[in-house]
Amino acid sequence: MPFFPAHKLPLAVLGLVLVALPFLFGGKYQLSILILIGISAIVCVGINLLVGVAGQISLGHAAFFGIGSYASAVFTGDYGWNGILAMFAGILITSVLAATVGWPILRLKGHYLAMATLGVGLVIQLLLIQEAGITGGPDGRAVKALTIFGLRVKGEWAWYCIVAGALFVVVWGAQNLMSSPWGRALRALHASEPASAAAGIDVHQMKVAIFAASAGLASFAGSLYAHALAFVTPDQASFLHSVEFVVMIVVGGLGSVYGSLVGAAILIVLPQVLSSLSDYENLAFGVLLILVVYLLRKGIVPTLRLIAVGGGR
Amino acid sequence: MSGLSINDLKVHFGGIRALDGVDLTFGSSGIHALIGPNGAGKTTLVNAVTGVYAPTAGRVLFDGHDITGLPAHKLATLGVTRTFQNLQIFWTMSVLENVLAGFHLDSSAGFLRGLLRGPALVRRERELTTAALGLLRLVNLEAKANNPADALAYGELKRLEIARALAGRPKLLFLDEPVAGCTQSEKCDLAEVIRNAARESAVSVVLIEHDMRLVMAVSDRVTVLAQGRILSTGTPSEVRADPKVITAYLGTTQSHLAEQVHAVAG
Amino acid sequence: MVDFLQFLVAGLSQGAIYALVGLGFSVIYRATHIVNFAQGEFVMIGGLGTAGALSFALPMPLAILSALVAGCVAALVLDLIVIRLARFAPALLLIIVTIGASVALRGAAQLAWGRNFHSIPSPFGSEPLHVYGVAIMPQVILILVTTVGAVVGLQWFFRRTRFGQAMLAAAINPTAASLVGIELRHVYTATFLIAGLLGMIAGLLITPLAMVHFESGLAFSLKGFAAAILGGLGSVPGVVAGGLLLGVVESLSAGYVSSAYKDAIAFLLIIVVLLTRPEGVFGRRSTGRV
Ligand SMILES: Nc1ncnc2c1ncn2[C@@H]1O[C@H](COP(=O)(O)OP(=O)(O)O)[C@@H](O)[C@H]1O
Ligand SMILES: [Mg+2]
């Protein structure tokens, strides 16, 4: 039934999982991995709305993550701003920038759009590397601790709570959006632009809106990352990091909000496991990536859902 | 002036003159059929008026406003919408959601409202769902409302497009070969739907169709297009009697059309 | 003026390399509609493979041959993986698979040839020639001549040989081509081999001027993709022009504006070009039908 709030159930499960996880994996190192997963998952939820739901490829979103990181680093470090204020300034700057850049480039399609977003990402990363006076150059710079209402956020537990809380809110919002007319229009324009336009949907405006929104979300996650690790480098804004986000949503499931979380978890945990293979790490990672796409074409979460639905009959 | 008026409309694709100076008016109500052999430029006319193609030259007025080259979503807000000859379905959605998407302008489609999903939005969605189910009943698809769209047969998809277009509460509706692929009895039902829409909801319908029986039965006016120009226009009986039309149809290889014209004229 | 010519020569030789990589993208895209982000890895294999073999004291021709064999094996494996998927997977998935392949190739190269930077000697030494005050490395001349040769050869192959024409036919309409007896499997395999060879030629040509290591492929993939996009993906002359344009713009901006921002300027140029010509400088414009 469309109006039974079916999306409330998975959300409740997510809440339970988020509460249970730190008790299952409570070590310092394990918590730090969970924090990284949560931060990536926040980015992926946004990118999945853009790429998976609206069908607009971006190979440059790590740059927006990077802008968020550096906004927090610079505004708190050099200007003495409050961390929360810096975070919101970062989100605002990133969203406005993304909307400005997105307005022209989102008229492009497919591979041409991929090229343009890739180019935007590279240019932004280059700025972060070259403007060393502000950014600290290729080696990056340290970031001040985050203070909320005068309290310094310290330690893995505190960061886990913040990231998990943020992730929960982001997933809640994304679920709401997906089951709203706005989300429906987003899916519609992916399926057929002419028919969407004929139904009164301003296709281009919606693309720009989701591009800017997902960029803002990436910036938010970037700010969390900067404070949580107390350090930023231009690598966070690299092409490879952008690709990593896209790989996460493809592995987890294009268009699936929860797939974004699963993909992020796998792509963060996998390299940790593989790093024990030292020299074989790259080879193993590449082969695994190919295998996952091969075996789970629709991504993990949609595949599981299909199996569940099939088994229920 | 109400209704649509097209002045000297031209659409060229490189060397192809798909429309080569068309002058035409559609009133604010009634059913106006647009017929002509394949490649005559019928779809191009719809595309040029509904903002899919930019016209090479000419002007289009709707209810007195200049709408030449206006994008499709703006036209939708003015009450101009359409169906597509080559299906444009939201394949990833259910049948019901396809129609709900057609209600876009009537829904609470703001980003923030969607994000918060408050009770007003939920209530509006419930109302729209009732309305959408009503439209699906109209085109005899109510039973399949919760099926995925890609599970429908061709004729059903055609009808789904009609329901989706009606959801936009259009004042002017272009139906590009809406009953292609439907059985004879489905065609009769659809003719009824189209006629009702035109009459009760005061929609001005522009109907592109090859089935002459249907055209002659439902249309108030008929325009014949050939090679990007208007060959003839008038009431069904006037067009039927126009010797130019009969020669044109007999002259083409589309003999089934010619036969139909004869059968009806006969 | 001498400066300008110097920059121009440098840009043209770099651009020729981009053009060769871009042609690899273009050939595969035309036949399969896949954008192969592993394309730059062939440049790395060509250079690093030869350098690796030289370190075992193999003579140059044998060293080159061994690198080519390694690269062709990689191309065949890639063909096997990607083409199987291409039948049902959407474009984004295919991009991810080729990225996976490029990571795997990088990993394999790291195992085979280590993590160090390598170079190979130019057959004509490293004494620059001086033409009207412009210093030109003999290797640069070799790059330009070989690129012209490769492009002419490619055009000849597609226009004049039966197999090349069959490949073109299959690219335009695979169904019709297979109906007239063209074996699509062979066409795809040949496509990947040609693309791989183009990349490896680029690698052999550039390595005497710029050192390679196992992570060098990515930069070439990005620049080659950019060249192909500038050229509109499909046309051979378009991609060559796209590559040369990219190389020259990069070199001139490094010379006159800022060497730090040469890549930024090049990519901004591409974005501007795409905005004015959404289907590439040489791509054909069409009105999408509905
Ligand atoms: N997007 C397009 N690009 C090039 N030619 C087109 C395009 N759309 C239509 N045409 C050409 O315009 C002419 C009219 O086509 P169309 O309007 O589809 O005819 P009809 O709908 O009457 O069958 C045909 O010759 C067709 O090939
Ligand atoms: Mg038509």
Side-chain angles (χ1 to χ4, degrees):
Chain A
M1 276 284 100
F3 294 113
F4 173 77
H7 61 290
K8 291 279 155 62
L9 182 67
L11 203 60
V13 173
L14 174 68
L16 286 178
V17 170
L18 288 177
V19 170
L21 274 175
F23 295 101
L24 297 174
F25 305 100
K28 227 169 135 58
Y29 168 74
Q30 291 169 325
L31 277 178
S32 69
I33 296 295
L34 288 178
I35 291 167
L36 276 185
I37 293 174
I39 290 173
S40 299
I42 291 174
V43 183
C44 287
V45 169
I47 297 186
N48 215 341
L49 290 180
L50 174 72
V51 180
V53 178
Q56 309 301 307
I57 296 180
S58 171
L59 295 180
H61 257 58
F64 301 128
F65 184 88
I67 295 178
S69 302
Y70 277 93
S72 283
V74 172
F75 288 142
T76 60
D78 299 350
Y79 295 89
W81 289 16
N82 175 280
I84 302 291
L85 184 65
M87 207 175 265
F88 279 100
I91 295 174
L92 189 70
I93 292 171
T94 309
S95 307
V96 170
L97 178 74
T100 313
V101 173
W103 189 265
I105 69 175
L106 284 161
R107 300 214 185 268
L108 302 171
K109 292 189 192 315
H111 301 310
Y112 297 94
L113 178 60
M115 177 75 240
T117 51
L118 189 166
V120 169
L122 288 178
V123 171
I124 292 174
Q125 191 203 8
L126 212 58
L127 281 167
L128 295 178
I129 295 174
Q130 296 300 338
E131 297 305 316
I134 303 169
T135 63
D139 299 330
R141 61 178 282 169
V143 186
K144 274 192 171 172
L146 181 67
T147 52
I148 303 178
F149 303 125
L151 287 175
R152 258 184 78 183
V153 182
K154 238 174 61 187
E156 278 76 16
W157 269 94
W159 271 110
Y160 178 82
C161 293
I162 290 180
V163 170
L167 178 63
F168 186 81
V169 173
V170 165
V171 170
W172 170 78
Q175 284 289 344
N176 280 349
L177 211 50
M178 285 301 294
S179 55
S180 78
W182 201 85
R184 189 164 56 220
L186 212 55
R187 280 185 289 152
L189 72 88
H190 186 184
S192 166
E193 291 192 12
S196 302
I201 297 168
D202 188 339
V203 170
H204 184 244
Q205 194 193 59
M206 290 213 52
K207 287 182 189 173
V208 175
I210 191 58
F211 190 73
S214 60
L217 205 52
S219 169
F220 170 59
S223 291
L224 291 179
Y225 181 93
H227 285 300
L229 275 80
F231 205 82
V232 288
T233 72
D235 280 352
Q236 267 104 61
S238 68
F239 170 71
L240 283 179
H241 199 202
S242 292
V243 167
E244 200 179 330
F245 288 134
V246 177
V247 171
M248 285 175 181
I249 62 168
V250 168
V251 168
L254 283 173
S256 155
V257 173
Y258 292 100
S260 315
L261 314 195
V262 173
I266 291 177
L267 266 283
I268 295 288
V269 170
L270 201 59
Q272 310 292 330
V273 177
L274 294 181
S275 67
S276 62
L277 298 175
S278 57
D279 275 358
Y280 288 85
E281 182 186 343
N282 274 326
L283 184 59
F285 183 71
V287 170
L288 272 176
L289 190 56
I290 296 171
L291 279 180
V292 167
V293 175
Y294 240 99
L295 300 176
L296 305 164
R297 269 161 241 161
K298 289 186 191 307
I300 291 172
V301 169
T303 307
L304 289 179
R305 193 174 295 145
L306 276 183
I307 294 172
V309 169
R313 273 182 194 153
Chain B
M1 214 212 85
S2 67
L4 188 80
S5 113
I6 298 173
N7 303 312
D8 194 30
L9 189 64
K10 290 182 183 162
V11 178
H12 298 177
F13 299 106
I16 302 171
R17 296 169 173 232
L19 286 183
D20 202 13
V22 168
D23 291 287
L24 203 54
T25 55
F26 302 120
S28 60
S29 65
I31 298 177
H32 195 135
L34 193 58
I35 64 172
N38 279 330
K42 306 180 295 293
T43 300
T44 302
L45 184 131
V46 178
N47 283 339
V49 173
T50 59
V52 177
Y53 296 159
T56 312
R59 241 154 66 94
V60 185
L61 302 177
F62 180 65
D63 285 356
H65 304 286
D66 190 337
I67 60 162
T68 320
L70 225 53
H73 68 271
K74 290 249 172 70
L75 289 168
T77 64
L78 295 176
V80 180
T81 194
R82 63 173 297 184
T83 65
F84 296 83
Q85 177 181 358
N86 303 318
L87 292 171
Q88 295 287 334
I89 300 288
F90 305 133
W91 295 110
T92 48
M93 300 187 189
S94 74
V95 171
L96 177 63
E97 283 175 314
N98 265 270
V99 182
L100 284 172
F103 279 113
H104 181 77
L105 292 172
D106 268 351
S107 62
S108 7
F111 177 81
L112 280 179
R113 281 193 212 180
L115 204 60
L116 300 173
R117 204 168 191 278
L121 180 145
V122 175
R123 203 178 323 120
R124 188 86 195 104
E125 284 289 277
R126 203 170 292 144
E127 289 162 12
L128 291 181
T129 304
T130 314
L133 288 171
L135 286 175
L136 283 173
R137 189 176 321 127
L138 204 63
V139 297
N140 198 18
L141 281 175
E142 201 188 10
K144 303 207 168 178
N146 288 315
N147 289 19
D150 60 8
L152 295 193
Y154 185 78
E156 292 173 325
L157 291 167
K158 283 280 178 192
R159 284 182 274 150
L160 177 57
E161 279 214 3
I162 296 177
R164 186 180 64 196
L166 287 174
R169 304 187 210 291
K171 291 194 226 161
L172 174 63
L173 173 59
F174 291 91
L175 299 175
D176 198 349
E177 308 200 8
V179 300
C182 292
T183 65
Q184 203 55 50
S185 83
E186 283 172 341
K187 279 187 186 178
C188 292
D189 293 347
L190 278 176
E192 199 54 39
V193 168
I194 294 167
R195 227 179 330 215
N196 282 342
R199 215 163 283 152
E200 283 159 26
S201 336
V203 187
S204 168
V205 175
V206 178
L207 174 68
I208 297 177
E209 185 43 54
H210 285 302
D211 185 329
M212 286 305 150
R213 263 176 231 278
L214 185 95
V215 166
M216 296 300 167
V218 304
S219 312
D220 301 306
R221 290 182 70 77
V222 177
T223 294
V224 185
L225 210 57
Q227 291 171 350
R229 291 167 180 274
I230 291 178
L231 198 61
S232 172
T233 187
T235 63
S237 43
E238 284 166 5
V239 168
R240 192 162 24 187
D242 190 333
K244 274 186 294 186
V245 176
I246 296 176
T247 351
Y249 270 108
L250 286 175
T252 68
T253 51
Q254 306 213 329
S255 55
H256 70 283
L257 278 181
E259 274 164 34
Q260 285 178 349
V261 172
H262 265 294
V264 179
Chain C
M1 189 60 199
V2 172
D3 274 356
F4 176 79
L5 288 178
Q6 189 76 60
F7 296 144
L8 191 66
V9 168
L12 284 176
S13 68
Q14 194 64 33
I17 300 294
Y18 297 157
L20 287 173
V21 185
L23 283 175
F25 272 98
S26 166
V27 168
I28 291 185
Y29 182 80
R30 217 163 25 163
T32 64
H33 281 257
I34 294 168
V35 169
N36 171 29
F37 270 99
Q39 190 59 36
E41 306 305 326
F42 291 111
V43 181
M44 177 271 290
I45 293 174
L48 206 53
T50 308
L54 286 177
S55 72
F56 285 107
L58 281 181
M60 186 58 113
L62 273 185
I64 292 179
L65 190 68
S66 72
L68 291 183
V69 170
C72 286
V73 171
L76 290 176
V77 173
L78 199 62
D79 163 55
L80 213 64
I81 296 170
V82 176
I83 289 300
R84 293 239 170 124
L85 267 178
R87 249 175 292 141
F88 47 76
L92 187 60
L93 229 61
L94 291 169
I95 289 186
I96 299 297
V97 167
T98 63
I99 287 175
S102 80
V103 176
L105 286 176
R106 216 173 298 158
Q110 179 191 352
L111 285 175
W113 301 304
R115 306 170 67 98
N116 293 332
F117 281 88
H118 288 277
S119 185
I120 53 180
S122 167
F124 303 115
S126 50
E127 271 303 305
L129 310 172
H130 290 275
V131 185
Y132 299 113
V134 180
I136 302 177
M137 300 287 280
Q139 182 71 17
V140 165
I141 296 169
L142 183 64
I143 289 178
L144 295 175
V145 170
T146 313
T147 304
V148 170
V151 171
V152 170
L154 202 62
Q155 288 290 61
W156 172 82
F157 174 75
F158 281 130
R159 297 255 163 89
R160 295 273 177 268
T161 65
R162 275 184 60 129
F163 193 72
Q165 286 183 330
M167 286 178 73
L168 275 190
I172 293 164
N173 189 340
T175 323
S178 70
L179 281 178
V180 298
I182 294 171
E183 193 69 63
L184 290 180
R185 277 275 355 134
H186 297 168
V187 167
Y188 295 144
T189 306
T191 303
F192 275 84
L193 283 176
I194 291 173
L197 279 173
L198 285 167
M200 288 185 282
I201 291 172
L204 287 170
L205 289 172
I206 193 67
T207 308
L209 295 181
M211 312 250 276
V212 281
H213 78 144
F214 73 106
E215 283 179 322
S216 299
L218 177 65
F220 287 107
S221 280
L222 296 183
K223 294 286 167 60
F225 179 44
I229 287 279
L230 273 177
L233 275 172
S235 95
V236 170
V239 174
V240 172
L244 293 178
L245 181 67
L246 190 61
V248 169
V249 166
E250 222 179 82
S251 164
L252 291 181
S253 13
Y256 289 116
V257 190
S258 142
S259 65
Y261 282 113
K262 69 178 166 64
D263 282 350
I265 294 169
F267 278 103
L268 283 177
L269 167 90
I270 291 167
I271 293 171
V272 170
V273 166
L274 282 181
L275 294 178
T276 46
R277 302 264 336 175
E279 266 131 40
V281 185
F282 305 92
R284 194 177 306 154
R285 233 175 228 213
S286 73
T287 313
R289 282 193 191 214
V290 295

